[in-house]
């Protein structure tokens, strides 16, 4: 097993003192138990310190002297090298407070200590009280072994994984299991002539660690008070939230839980129409009265962009009684909002904000990717830790910043959606993902961002493929909205390579063993994560280069039909959904668009997947445009799933309200909110 390397940076402008501290601390690190590979390095100025923090991903702790002075023209360093006295002129450079703020803005995960003078203790501690300072040392004490022990313990604390540690100990204790799951630590599979192979393939610990709520020592996800609660608290600190909850059914469930918690039937919700289908399911479950905001579309590349800022701000103004605003940031393609002004405008109207950060759980750990939704002041953020961090599939975080958070309501809704037998190894993977993010997230993301830059250059150099940059991706209507691109998502224009997107994906898959994240009619999207290696990038580049060298003649690319504009919502989605409805075919007996559907009201969500944007939601009016779009989609995009389309034999059909049901349920304008008591 590779051992970690940890550096502790001491910033102190007194060369002799710095030297003495470093010598003593490094001697302590060599002499005492040192499981994290700690060594001490120094910086004489705040500037140099900040540069080191930015450059060196192994730095885990920073010790800042509370009085820092600038050195003019390197004179002081010269003096240091020659062991000379203080002849260089000094001017106050930056206070410890300012420096702590700068370090936190750069790398909030680092531990911070302050070296102080005993007499000034109260003043300094008061000034730094609100900052993320972990502790203080007296400069005069010089108890360097003691200091080392404390710093070592501090790193150990951050590197702890309370839940995973408990799970591992339990597994290694090899208790006899008289409880679920039925495979009983794999005993039902091991040795079986029929299914032993599954056990062998998956590995013994997959089964040993597949435990659930029956093991009391491992706490309960539905009422955490022990190791799960502790791990969640550590995650909250890591992600800058007041509270964090672990979810074991993805951001899909996390979104539904938040919507059900915050919205009573009939209450208004502002949401990007482009939101993930789970948000639309949350609309049905909560009984929300949705106000759909149309997202921008880049028709040239078939990419859905953010909702224009002006549209969001207008909706906030027009719907002051709304309870919640839901946006996706970043999008599947990596486009992220300038969130702060939007969150501020929503809060000014007492509207809470949920940001779906399914694709952005890594962002907290690199300054190029921040601010995160929590940092921009959002009340809730949901993150698929499994998409961009090292968690198992389905593992997700729910982060809460809402000062008025009603935990009892949240808990009821969370438990409503959570299996009573959550997979504990998935919870362990969330705990470990958090640890990795705080211990080495910055370093890994530095590498990922560098690989993303290199890969962009390589792809562009093929001549046949071109990476789409922010300006290419952004639809015109959002160009002035301060939107930025997460560079770890690379969207490639394939229109000059001479292949259709299906042919290209097939060639990449069968000839080069490469699978990509997603595609549109003329783009493919690659996802780089903290697990992306340079050799994987080289293999992709090599494959694209070989395909480019074949110099195929350009092919006609089939365009995805344009998504029809949103039509009228006539009933609450919940009311329409719970009608029995009837199935009506999309095509008539002459294979033409079925006119019987026009003017009817849809009872289901109809969603082409990908991209997962609903064409119809329950309660929405069906028009000829929509029927034609769905038929075109079925004909052109035969590999795309069309959720909500039901096959009656060979006939694709959709569920619509019957005439009697239309009369029976209340029209949207007559539905009043049913606010429940807190
Ligand atoms: C924007 C968005 N939100 C939520 C989800 C659902 O996340 P999960 O797969 O973790 O349930 C997805 C999945 O692709 C998504 O793209």
């Amino acid at each position: 097993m590779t051992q970690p390397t940890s550096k502790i940076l001491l910033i102190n402008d007194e060369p002799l003192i710095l030297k003495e501290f470093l010598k003593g601390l490094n001697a302590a690190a060599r002499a005492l138990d040192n499981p994290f590979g700690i060594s001490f390095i120094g910086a004489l100025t705040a500037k140099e310190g900040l540069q080191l923090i930015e450059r060196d991903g192994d730095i885990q702790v920073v010790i800042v002297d509370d009085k820092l002075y600038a050195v003019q023209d390197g004179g002081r360093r010269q003096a240091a090298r020659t062991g000379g006295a203080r002849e260089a002129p000094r001017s106050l450079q930056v206070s410890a407070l300012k420096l702590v703020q700068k370090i936190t803005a750069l790398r909030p995960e680092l531990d911070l200590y302050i070296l102080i003078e005993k007499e000034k203790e109260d003043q300094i501690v008061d000034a730094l009280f609100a900052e993320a300072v972990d502790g203080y040392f007296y400069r005069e004490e010089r108890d360097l072994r003691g200091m080392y022990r404390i710093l070592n313990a501090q790193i150990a604390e951050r590197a702890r994984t309370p839940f995973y540690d408990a799970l591992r100990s339990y597994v290694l204790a090899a208790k006899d299991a008289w409880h679920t799951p039925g495979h009983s630590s794999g005993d039902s599979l091991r040795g079986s002539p029929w299914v032993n192979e599954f056990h062998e393939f998956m590995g013994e610990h997959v089964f040993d660690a597949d435990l659930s709520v029956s093991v009391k020592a491992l706490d309960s996800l539905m009422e955490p008070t022990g190791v799960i609660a502790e791990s969640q608290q550590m995650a909250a600190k890591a992600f800058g939230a007041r509270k964090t909850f672990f979810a074991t059914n993805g951001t899909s469930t996390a979104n539904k839980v938040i919507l059900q918690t915050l919205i009573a039937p009939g209450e208004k919700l502002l949401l990007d129409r482009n939101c993930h289908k789970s948000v639309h399911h949350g609309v049905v479950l909560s009984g929300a009265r949705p106000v759909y905001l149309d997202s921008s579309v880049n028709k040239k590349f078939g990419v859905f962009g953010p909702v224009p800022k002006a549209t969001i701000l207008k909706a906030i103004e027009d719907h002051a009684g709304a309870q919640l605003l839901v946006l996706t940031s970043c999008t599947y393609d990596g486009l992220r909002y300038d969130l702060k002004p939007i969150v501020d405008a929503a809060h000014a109207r007492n509207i809470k904000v949920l940001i779906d950060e399914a694709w952005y759980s890594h962002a907290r750990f690199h300054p190029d990717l921040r601010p995160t939704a929590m940092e921009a002041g959002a009340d809730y953020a949901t993150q698929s830790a499994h998409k961009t961090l090292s968690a198992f599939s389905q593992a997700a975080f729910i982060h809460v910043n809402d000062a008025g958070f009603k935990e009892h309501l949240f808990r009821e809704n969370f438990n409503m959606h959570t299996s009573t037998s959550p997979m504990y190894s998935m919870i362990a993977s969330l705990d470990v993902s958090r640890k990795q993010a705080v211990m080495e997230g910055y370093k890994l993301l530095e590498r990922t961002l560098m690989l993303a830059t290199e890969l962009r250059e390589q792809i562009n150099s093929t001549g046949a493929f071109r990476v789409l940059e922010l300006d290419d991706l952004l639809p015109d209507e959002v160009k002035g909205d301060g939107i930025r691109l997460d560079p770890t998502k690379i969207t490639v224009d394939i229109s000059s390579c001479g292949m259709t997107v299906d042919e290209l994906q097939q060639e990449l898959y069968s000839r080069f063993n490469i699978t990509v994240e997603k595609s549109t009619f003329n783009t493919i999207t690659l996802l780089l994560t903290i697990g992306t290696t340079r050799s994987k990038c080289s293999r992709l580049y090599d494959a694209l280069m070989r395909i480019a060298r074949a110099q195929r003649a350009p092919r006609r690319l089939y365009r995805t039909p344009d998504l029809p504009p949103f039509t009228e919502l006539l009933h609450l989605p919940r009311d329409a959904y719970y009608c029995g409805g009837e199935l009506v075919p999309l095509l008539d007996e002459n294979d033409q668009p079925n006119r019987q559907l026009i003017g009817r009201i849809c009872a289901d969500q109809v969603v082409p997947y990908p991209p997962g944007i609903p064409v119809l939601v329950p309660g929405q009016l069906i028009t000829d445009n929509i029927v034609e779009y769905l038929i075109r989609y079925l004909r052109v995009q035969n590999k795309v799933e069309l959720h909500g389309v039901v096959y009656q034999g060979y006939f694709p059909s959709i569920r619509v309200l019957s005439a009697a049901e239309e009369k029976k349920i209340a029209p949207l304008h007559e539905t009043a909110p049913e606010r429940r008591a807190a």
Side-chain angles (χ1 to χ4, degrees):
M1 237 172 26
T2 50
Q3 290 300 316
T5 301
S6 308
K7 290 184 191 158
I8 297 182
L9 172 67
L10 177 57
I11 310 178
N12 189 312
D13 79 326
E14 304 277 353
L16 292 177
I17 293 180
L18 182 63
K19 204 168 152 194
E20 186 192 332
F21 265 95
L22 293 180
K23 194 168 163 217
L25 287 167
N26 277 319
R30 280 193 299 276
L32 301 174
D33 195 23
N34 189 355
F36 307 111
I38 293 175
S39 63
F40 291 81
I41 56 172
L44 279 164
T45 67
K47 190 172 163 205
E48 190 190 343
L50 287 167
Q51 281 168 347
L52 276 168
I53 292 166
E54 201 173 349
R55 243 193 352 252
D56 192 339
D58 286 330
I59 292 177
Q60 297 289 357
V61 182
V62 183
I63 308 168
V64 176
D65 197 297
D66 90 285
K67 47 171 204 167
L68 268 179
Y69 296 90
V71 180
Q72 289 176 356
D73 304 328
R76 215 169 153 62
R77 274 212 229 184
Q78 187 60 31
R81 248 179 265 132
T82 54
R86 299 180 175 183
E87 64 279 330
R90 293 167 29 146
S91 61
L92 188 63
Q93 181 194 21
V94 61
S95 67
L97 175 66
K98 274 265 147 50
L99 184 52
V100 162
Q101 286 166 344
K102 281 183 187 222
I103 294 170
T104 312
L106 199 60
R107 291 182 55 189
E109 76 281 9
L110 293 181
D111 291 318
L112 275 168
Y113 279 79
I114 311 292
L115 263 190
I116 54 175
E117 259 177 85
K118 211 162 192 167
E119 308 88 74
K120 287 216 204 141
E121 179 188 351
D122 290 349
Q123 258 168 283
I124 294 157
V125 174
D126 282 355
L128 288 163
F129 181 70
E131 304 304 322
V133 171
D134 298 277
Y136 301 86
F137 295 113
Y138 294 123
R139 200 181 301 126
E140 299 85 358
E141 269 181 10
R142 302 283 203 282
D143 174 14
L144 301 179
R145 285 169 76 96
M147 247 175 109
Y148 168 78
R149 282 200 192 93
I150 290 173
L151 295 167
N152 181 45
Q154 180 74 28
I155 294 180
E157 171 58 28
R158 188 152 46 96
R160 241 163 30 92
T161 41
F163 180 79
Y164 168 59
D165 296 346
L167 179 76
R168 194 164 173 272
S169 304
Y170 184 86
V171 167
L172 296 180
K175 310 266 187 215
D176 266 351
W178 288 89
H179 53 71
T180 58
H183 60 66
S184 208
S185 305
D187 288 350
S188 68
L189 302 150
R190 197 180 309 110
S192 157
W194 297 101
V195 288
N196 181 45
E197 191 272 342
F198 181 58
H199 186 266
E200 297 257 303
F201 176 75
M202 298 298 282
E204 62 181 313
H205 284 331
V206 167
F207 296 96
D208 289 339
D210 182 24
L211 296 162
S212 197
V213 75
S214 330
V215 185
K216 298 282 173 286
L218 297 179
D219 207 0
S220 157
L221 187 65
M222 295 212 260
E223 204 179 303
T225 53
V227 279
I228 295 181
E230 221 183 313
S231 294
Q232 290 186 154
Q233 275 161 16
M234 292 183 79
K237 180 166 187 241
F239 286 88
R242 280 171 200 256
K243 289 203 171 247
T244 289
F245 298 89
F246 294 166
T248 50
N249 197 17
T251 294
S252 301
T253 288
N255 285 339
K256 287 175 224 170
V257 170
I258 303 294
L259 259 68
Q260 270 195 215
T261 303
L262 295 181
I263 301 174
E267 286 184 340
K268 267 194 194 164
L269 160 73
L270 311 178
L271 77 161
D272 178 357
R273 182 188 167 195
N274 191 1
C275 275
H276 185 254
K277 56 190 272 195
S278 55
V279 177
H280 295 277
H281 287 142
V283 170
V284 169
L285 291 171
S286 64
R289 180 177 178 155
V291 175
Y292 296 104
L293 313 178
D294 263 322
S295 30
S296 54
V297 188
N298 182 331
K299 290 193 178 159
K300 188 168 170 204
F301 296 109
V303 170
F304 287 86
V307 180
K309 193 190 261 176
T311 308
I312 302 172
L313 297 181
K314 181 164 183 321
I316 289 171
E317 283 303 306
D318 291 351
H319 301 277
Q323 296 297 312
L324 180 67
L325 165 70
V326 187
L327 298 171
T328 308
S329 188
C330 65
T331 63
Y332 208 170
D333 306 279
L335 298 173
R336 63 180 171 112
Y337 288 91
D338 173 18
L339 280 177
K340 183 87 175 63
I342 296 171
V343 172
D344 288 349
H347 283 173
R349 294 272 168 171
N350 283 326
I351 299 173
K352 297 202 190 295
V353 181
L354 161 63
I355 302 298
D356 179 336
E357 286 191 319
W359 292 99
Y360 217 41
S361 44
H362 55 298
R364 167 83 170 164
F365 305 98
H366 200 285
D368 290 359
L369 305 171
R370 289 207 301 273
T372 63
M374 286 288 103
E375 290 164 347
D379 302 279
Y380 297 87
T382 48
Q383 296 179 334
S384 301
H386 66 93
K387 288 195 197 300
T388 61
L389 295 176
S390 298
F392 285 145
S393 286
Q394 293 192 11
F397 293 119
I398 301 175
H399 301 304
V400 181
N401 219 356
D402 182 1
F405 179 51
K406 296 198 175 86
E407 191 161 348
H408 55 290
L409 270 184
F410 171 86
R411 177 55 61 196
E412 275 308 299
N413 287 297
F414 182 90
N415 289 356
M416 197 184 291
H417 286 276
T418 299
S419 163
T420 44
S421 316
M423 193 175 178
Y424 275 20
S425 46
M426 202 189 295
I427 299 174
S429 80
L430 282 167
D431 204 14
V432 171
S433 295
R434 184 269 314 151
K435 169 179 172 175
Q436 182 177 39
V438 292
M439 301 314 293
E440 57 176 357
Y442 177 79
K443 184 175 169 178
L444 295 177
L445 284 165
E446 268 285 288
R447 189 189 65 178
T448 310
L449 291 169
M450 190 181 67
L451 289 176
T453 306
E454 287 173 15
L455 189 59
R456 284 178 146 75
E457 283 164 12
Q458 289 175 328
I459 292 173
N460 289 337
S461 74
T462 61
F465 298 97
R466 184 175 75 91
V467 175
L468 299 179
E469 295 302 341
L470 181 63
D471 209 45
D472 303 301
L473 288 167
L474 279 189
D476 285 343
E477 59 267 43
V478 291
K479 283 212 159 127
D481 285 357
I483 287 156
R484 292 168 68 188
L485 176 66
D486 171 2
T488 64
K489 281 120 186 142
I490 298 187
T491 301
V492 183
D493 176 3
I494 65 136
S495 55
S496 307
C497 80
M499 288 177 160
T500 65
V501 83
D502 288 343
E503 287 165 348
L504 175 64
Q505 279 181 283
Q506 184 55 32
E507 179 89 346
L508 287 173
Y509 181 73
S510 54
R511 188 168 152 212
F512 299 103
N513 272 337
I514 289 170
T515 320
V516 302
E517 175 61 40
K518 77 163 179 96
S519 61
T520 67
F521 64 97
N522 65 356
T523 66
I524 53 169
T525 299
L526 312 160
L527 182 69
L528 282 85
T529 70
I530 53 171
T532 304
T533 59
R534 173 161 272 121
S535 60
K536 195 160 87 175
C537 292
S538 307
R539 290 195 290 276
L540 177 71
Y541 168 53
D542 177 69
L544 294 180
M545 203 55 170
R546 283 169 196 269
I547 293 169
R549 284 211 189 105
Q551 295 189 338
R552 292 172 176 83
R555 287 282 303 264
R556 185 167 159 253
L557 299 172
Y558 292 106
R559 266 190 76 141
T560 319
D562 290 343
L563 192 69
F566 195 78
T567 56
E568 221 179 328
L569 190 70
L570 297 172
H571 301 281
L572 280 186
R574 181 186 66 167
D575 291 348
Y577 179 79
Y578 286 114
C579 285
E582 58 188 2
L583 286 174
V584 177
L586 281 163
L587 292 159
D588 64 16
E589 52 287 358
N590 302 317
D591 233 17
Q592 293 302 307
N594 187 357
R595 303 214 54 84
Q596 282 182 26
L597 274 171
I598 293 157
R600 302 292 294 271
I601 295 163
C602 196
D604 281 322
Q605 197 180 129
V606 180
V607 193
Y609 202 88
I613 299 159
V615 176
L616 282 167
V617 296
Q620 189 185 335
L621 181 70
I622 301 170
T623 58
D624 48 354
N625 239 347
I626 291 177
V627 177
E628 277 161 26
Y629 171 83
L630 289 173
I631 292 169
R632 240 178 305 143
Y633 215 95
L634 281 171
R635 286 182 176 149
V636 174
Q637 300 274 321
N638 56 358
K639 291 203 181 67
V640 171
E641 300 166 32
L642 249 182
H643 299 173
V645 169
V646 184
Y647 277 83
Q648 304 189 85
Y650 291 113
F651 304 108
S653 310
I654 51 179
R655 190 166 70 96
V656 296
L657 269 56
S658 68
E661 286 164 341
E662 277 187 34
K663 285 203 194 95
K664 209 171 72 190
I665 62 171
L668 191 64
H669 61 267
E670 285 178 16
T671 52
E674 307 163 19
R675 183 126 275 286
R676 61 195 154 212

